[in-house]
Amino acid sequence: MANSSAVTAALRLSEKLPFPLKRLADLAYNYWWSWSGDRIALFQTIDPQEWERCGHNPVAILESASYERLTQLAEDPFYLKQISALAKEFDQYLLQKDTWVSGVAPQLSKDNPIAYFCAEFGIHESLPVYSGGLGILAGDHLKSSSDLGVPMVGIGLLYRQGYFRQRLNRQGWQEDYYIDNPFQHMPIELVKTQNGEPLIIHLDVRQRQVKVQIWQVQVGRVTLYLLDSDREDNDPIDRWLTGHLYGGNLETRIAQEVVLGIGGVRALNALGIQPSVYHLNEGHAAFCTLEVARLEIEKTGKSFYDIEATVRNRCVFTTHTPVPAGHDVFSPDLIDSYFAQYWPQLRLSREQFLALGARRLGDPWEPFGMTVLALRMTRACNGVSELHGQVSRKMWTVLYPQHSEDKVPIGYITNGVHAPTWTAPLLGDLYNQYLGEDWKTRAMLPEMWAKVDDIPDEELWWRHRVLKERLIAYTRYKIRKAREQRGEDYHFIQSTDTLLDPDVLTIGFARRFSPYKRGDLILRDAERAKKIFSNAQHPVQIIFAGKAHPADEEGKRIIQRLMEWCRNSGLNNRVAFIEDYDIYTGQKLVQGVDVWLNNPRRPLEASGTSGQKVCFNGGLNLSVLDGWWCEGYKAGSDGKGLNGWAIGEDAHTSDQELQDRIDSQSLYQLLEQEIVPLYYNQNAQGVSSGWVQMMKTSIKTNAPLFNTDRMIADYVSQVYVPEIAKSVEPILAKVLV
Ligand SMILES: *Cc1c(COP(=O)(O)O)cnc(C)c1O
């Protein structure tokens, strides 16, 4: 059994702090601080420049702060009051006994937690081991589980260089680069054994034994364990197994998935943790089911087929990908080189082993699919929105010849977001006043959110306006820096001072630049778009952000097209692109925009979550009816949106060119005829009451549904503890059994 080492790291850090600041060390080593109401000033106050330079890393800022500065703070009663109030709240949070789960599912005990496996976790920008939606969802999953008291541990990989970083050159072309993560100075701690040595697990990868060490991260009450092969006693090649997130070829990919799935189960074992449920978040972790099986065979001496049902009973699976090509598959050759020594331990032949991942049996070239393996080896599977559930049932009917498509046992639990993380503290403060100080713990309740009607219109409007100003200031700052680094012309750099205008209706669009997301749809008809953006009385502006996968040339071309628009002299104050999208930029965007645009080709957006984040901050969604928005969007009897807008309504065609035309025209029409007029219909104080009405309707209808507290409640009642499925009111989702 390992030491609780995050406590020792915090202790070590606290030793260098003046007495009244010591609790800052505890806060720094638990990401709980990042969703507290005090998060903005808490560490930034120490040294705003250093805070930015170190990527908002609380451990690094405390380590680097001078004794002079620390003692200055230690004599400031204001700051001390803030710390002691926060430390008290933190202690109460950690010790709380009457959690949501203690009332609803007391059978979920700390001794047998849920083990949540994922290839990426997006907890905070200072822990860059995520790429996008999947990771952010996993981070929010842990945070809400912590808030609700669901016993859980996370299992992932600690990537030495994380996901690639994005820089755009003067031609607007994306250049990729990597930065080493300074593990020793991050809010993570190496797990050690009683005698002070790192706890190591062993894995056979490519005929070599690899030693993997384990780091732990505190996320409120939940511990996240991250596996790391970067040890001096490993072969240099194996040290890079956990080098990059989604970086390499299929060979690296399968090796990483072996570390995550098989290594993850071994790590839990070494830690003395016996999970009640293994939750595979996406197929990357599916090898975990094999290791659970191997251990069971070792223990019981039975055959694979005898223990298969036991394994299935302990494993559940969430699928995220609505297109067949998005699911990891490996050739039989590749499987041979990684598993030839492994399948005998499962007492399986090669054919039997390959069959576990085969869509169709009997074809020797049939690849091994991670989703197929996960579907075979888990007792419950869900998609991440109602529509995605439907799409997944259709996609996988082939595996269930005994069922018609609608009876395929794949349900859905619609994604949500962690409200305290994504709601701007300035609005959280407003919710404190009008919804009650405990609003964060009651996010699932529609009757609580109904109280946003009590907020005076001007109050909601001006607070949102401040957040928009903050977004614009941040955008100018980032773009100025990027232009300076590119060595742009002096006047072009200076023009960032007038880039964007807080009086102007502001649209945000940020996500991965995959062709199916159609990042440049709004520019499809250049003349019409220009007229909308540069209208003299009622202009519109747009801020873009997002990366294209390094191998995605078409995605990079879309970014390049957007960068051309940023340089267009007729428009250069109204179109902006922020480089290197991350959680921090994401927060600024979702908190500051008036309208969030999302126009994927339907049904390729499994859920999407960024539009949900916008709702908590009073922004309005303008989106294709795909993913979560199919469930969120509400229209009135006149067919007009009450809580946002639907692009293209229900018009669908398989002709992409035609679909793009239909959707872009619908988008222009909505902007010209509904959105722009409503926004600029402002009274003498500059407030549009019609707009505020929609903001409030959006909060009331979306906030109670699309938060991760509701999502975790659904996972508990429908997946984690199937026996209690009846005793908790299902709010959105149904898992078909
Ligand atoms: C929320 C978020 C995402 C996921 O957004 P989608 O709506 O699924 O595209 C990706 N990246 C960051 C940084 C986010 O904050």
Side-chain angles (χ1 to χ4, degrees):
M1 190 57 209
N3 280 329
S4 180
S5 42
V7 177
T8 59
L11 207 64
R12 224 177 304 129
L13 178 58
S14 78
E15 273 159 17
K16 78 158 283 201
L17 303 176
F19 165 72
L21 300 184
K22 286 199 186 297
R23 292 306 308 276
L24 278 176
D26 298 333
L27 292 166
Y29 271 98
N30 189 322
Y31 273 109
W32 174 86
W33 73 269
S34 72
W35 69 91
S36 73
D38 288 9
R39 62 181 175 264
I40 294 180
L42 181 66
F43 294 109
Q44 187 186 53
T45 308
I46 298 170
D47 181 342
Q49 258 122 46
E50 179 59 20
W51 181 239
E52 193 201 317
R53 207 199 51 75
C54 71
H56 307 156
N57 171 345
V59 167
I61 190 114
L62 288 173
E63 283 178 351
S64 67
S66 68
Y67 192 52
E68 163 72 2
R69 179 61 187 147
L70 290 171
T71 50
Q72 258 176 5
L73 289 165
E75 65 164 1
D76 176 356
F78 237 69
Y79 189 61
L80 298 187
K81 237 178 248 162
Q82 190 196 356
I83 294 175
S84 80
L86 200 64
K88 194 169 151 201
E89 196 184 323
F90 178 54
D91 293 339
Q92 282 169 351
Y93 179 88
L94 291 185
L95 295 172
Q96 188 194 352
K97 290 273 183 300
D98 58 336
T99 59
W100 174 87
V101 91
S102 68
V104 172
Q107 61 271 66
L108 286 179
S109 99
K110 277 183 92 130
D111 300 335
N112 301 104
I114 316 294
Y116 182 82
F117 284 65
C118 191
E120 49 169 315
F121 284 90
I123 311 281
H124 186 258
E125 62 269 19
S126 62
L127 186 60
V129 291
Y130 61 90
S131 87
L134 183 72
I136 310 288
L137 178 80
D140 284 4
H141 195 102
L142 299 190
K143 291 172 185 174
S144 268
S145 294
S146 169
D147 288 349
L148 297 179
V150 177
M152 183 172 290
V153 295
I155 295 282
L157 301 181
L158 187 67
Y159 303 96
R160 174 160 158 196
Q161 299 193 327
Y163 196 53
F164 81 90
R165 310 293 293 265
Q166 178 194 53
R167 179 169 55 208
L168 302 179
N169 69 18
R170 290 175 79 159
Q171 284 71 48
W173 194 251
Q174 172 178 297
E175 294 173 348
D176 323 327
Y177 65 104
Y178 284 94
I179 297 177
D180 262 3
N181 281 320
F183 296 155
Q184 299 300 337
H185 307 283
M186 285 164 65
I188 61 177
E189 172 78 354
L190 197 58
V191 177
K192 306 228 171 105
T193 60
Q194 298 288 12
N195 58 18
E197 295 295 315
L199 183 67
I200 303 290
I201 54 151
H202 300 268
L203 282 168
D204 290 315
V205 185
R206 300 180 283 224
Q207 278 90 49
R208 275 190 304 271
Q209 193 174 65
V210 179
K211 299 188 182 68
V212 174
Q213 55 191 14
I214 307 163
W215 298 75
Q216 71 177 72
V217 187
Q218 271 322 118
V219 185
R221 287 183 276 234
V222 167
T223 305
L224 167 60
Y225 295 101
L226 297 174
L227 277 52
D228 167 24
S229 69
D230 185 19
R231 289 178 51 83
E232 277 179 10
D233 49 5
N234 280 331
D235 185 284
I237 295 172
D238 297 331
R239 296 183 66 168
W240 281 100
L241 274 177
T242 52
H244 301 124
L245 170 58
Y246 309 142
N249 49 18
L250 278 175
E251 172 94 30
T252 328
R253 186 85 161 212
I254 190 171
Q256 287 190 332
E257 295 184 5
V258 166
V259 178
L260 176 64
I262 297 179
V265 174
R266 290 192 185 163
L268 288 166
N269 236 349
L271 289 159
I273 296 169
Q274 296 174 322
S276 58
V277 177
Y278 296 85
H279 185 169
L280 287 50
N281 193 43
E282 189 53 314
H284 310 124
F287 292 140
C288 132
T289 59
L290 301 178
E291 182 65 5
V292 174
R294 196 190 61 82
L295 289 171
E296 195 63 23
I297 291 165
E298 200 175 77
K299 199 173 89 189
T300 61
K302 292 184 180 167
S303 79
F304 181 85
Y305 300 108
D306 285 337
I307 53 95
E308 197 182 352
T310 318
V311 176
R312 290 191 65 217
N313 254 326
R314 287 156 63 190
C315 300
V316 302
F317 172 46
T318 301
T319 178
H320 289 264
T321 314
V323 280
H327 297 255
D328 277 353
V329 293
F330 301 116
S331 68
D333 277 359
L334 208 49
I335 293 290
D336 283 346
S337 64
Y338 282 81
F339 286 92
Q341 269 87 52
Y342 195 81
W343 62 65
Q345 300 178 53
L346 297 177
R347 304 187 184 182
L348 293 177
S349 68
R350 177 176 185 268
E351 287 63 39
Q352 287 171 322
F353 187 86
L354 286 174
L356 296 173
R359 269 167 71 106
R360 279 172 303 263
L361 301 177
D363 175 356
W365 304 109
E366 175 70 21
F368 190 96
M370 295 301 275
T371 300
V372 177
L373 175 65
L375 286 168
R376 284 239 158 80
M377 296 301 295
T378 57
R379 70 165 152 80
C381 170
N382 68 282
V384 291
S385 70
E386 186 175 8
L387 179 63
H388 178 235
Q390 220 171 304
V391 170
S392 302
R393 284 193 291 280
K394 181 171 174 153
M395 188 166 25
W396 298 109
T397 315
V398 54
L399 293 178
Y400 305 89
Q402 74 276 31
H403 289 317
S404 59
E405 187 180 309
D406 59 326
K407 292 286 187 316
V408 167
I410 301 176
Y412 75 94
I413 291 179
T414 303
N415 285 344
V417 298
H418 184 245
T421 293
W422 296 103
T423 306
L426 192 68
L427 275 202
D429 177 59
L430 195 61
Y431 296 155
N432 280 340
Q433 291 172 47
Y434 290 91
L435 313 186
E437 296 271 347
D438 58 351
W439 71 270
K440 285 180 191 168
T441 62
R442 288 149 46 88
M444 291 183 244
L445 302 178
E447 59 276 23
M448 181 197 77
W449 290 105
K451 291 194 222 157
V452 295
D453 280 338
D454 300 342
I455 302 175
D457 284 3
E458 317 74 61
E459 183 89 9
L460 188 55
W461 181 271
W462 83 248
R463 287 198 187 230
H464 187 262
R465 155 95 194 196
V466 170
L467 294 169
K468 177 154 75 166
E469 288 185 48
R470 176 76 193 101
L471 166 62
I472 289 172
Y474 174 74
T475 307
R476 286 179 186 170
Y477 170 76
K478 291 286 280 188
I479 291 180
R480 170 181 273 270
K481 252 183 33 179
R483 286 179 184 176
E484 282 169 357
Q485 269 164 14
R486 285 198 290 266
E488 298 272 12
D489 161 89
Y490 173 80
H491 294 285
F492 192 50
I493 293 172
Q494 289 307 319
S495 72
T496 48
D497 289 347
T498 52
L499 181 67
L500 307 173
D501 176 350
D503 286 329
V504 170
L505 172 63
T506 304
I507 302 176
F509 182 101
R511 48 187 54 80
R512 189 158 48 88
F513 280 95
S514 244
Y516 82 83
K517 302 206 183 213
R518 300 187 295 187
D520 54 353
L521 189 76
I522 194 169
L523 308 177
R524 198 170 187 276
D525 179 342
E527 285 316 305
R528 199 160 168 191
K530 234 176 227 172
K531 269 191 197 137
I532 293 172
F533 288 123
S534 52
N535 184 294
Q537 270 97 45
H538 297 154
V540 172
Q541 60 195 6
I542 187 162
I543 308 175
F544 292 97
K547 300 173 178 177
H549 189 277
D552 181 0
E553 295 283 309
E554 180 52 30
K556 291 184 191 177
R557 267 195 292 275
I558 294 173
I559 293 176
Q560 190 170 38
R561 228 167 286 145
L562 298 179
M563 287 300 279
E564 277 162 24
W565 276 71
C566 295
R567 284 178 187 271
N568 185 315
S569 58
L571 282 171
N572 86 31
N573 287 335
R574 304 258 184 262
V575 182
F577 192 106
I578 306 177
E579 288 177 21
D580 204 32
Y581 187 39
D582 70 350
I583 288 182
Y584 188 71
T585 295
Q587 275 176 342
K588 290 284 156 281
L589 276 166
V590 298
Q591 293 169 359
V593 297
D594 299 307
V595 171
W596 191 251
L597 177 64
N598 189 20
N599 42 231
R601 288 203 176 99
R602 195 180 130 111
L604 298 183
E605 184 90 316
S607 165
T609 54
S610 50
Q612 303 173 342
K613 300 166 189 167
V614 167
C615 298
F616 290 86
N617 293 288
L620 298 174
N621 277 276
L622 166 57
S623 169
V624 166
L625 284 174
D626 196 8
W628 76 279
W629 191 231
C630 292
E631 295 156 63
Y633 174 67
K634 300 283 175 292
S637 52
D638 58 357
K640 287 192 175 165
L642 295 172
N643 61 353
W645 298 275
I647 299 168
E649 299 277 341
D650 265 329
H652 302 301
T653 150
S654 55
D655 177 347
Q656 282 190 0
E657 186 62 27
L658 178 62
Q659 187 75 56
D660 291 356
R661 184 144 29 97
I662 293 174
D663 289 346
S664 63
Q665 281 171 4
S666 160
L667 169 57
Y668 295 134
Q669 203 169 355
L670 284 167
L671 281 167
E672 290 160 351
Q673 295 177 8
E674 294 189 40
I675 300 172
V676 171
L678 184 69
Y679 182 82
Y680 286 104
N681 184 11
Q682 298 172 358
N683 65 17
Q685 284 73 47
V687 179
S688 163
S689 65
W691 191 273
V692 176
Q693 195 50 51
M694 273 186 92
M695 289 168 80
K696 289 182 175 177
T697 306
S698 164
I699 298 170
K700 282 189 294 187
T701 53
N702 293 317
L705 291 178
F706 304 107
N707 64 76
T708 34
D709 283 5
R710 187 278 308 155
M711 182 185 87
I712 293 295
D714 284 349
Y715 275 103
V716 166
S717 62
Q718 295 166 46
V719 175
Y720 294 158
V721 194
E723 309 90 276
I724 63 161
K726 293 264 165 353
S727 65
V728 178
E729 185 83 31
I731 299 170
L732 250 191
K734 271 184 201 65
V735 169
L736 309 172
V737 182

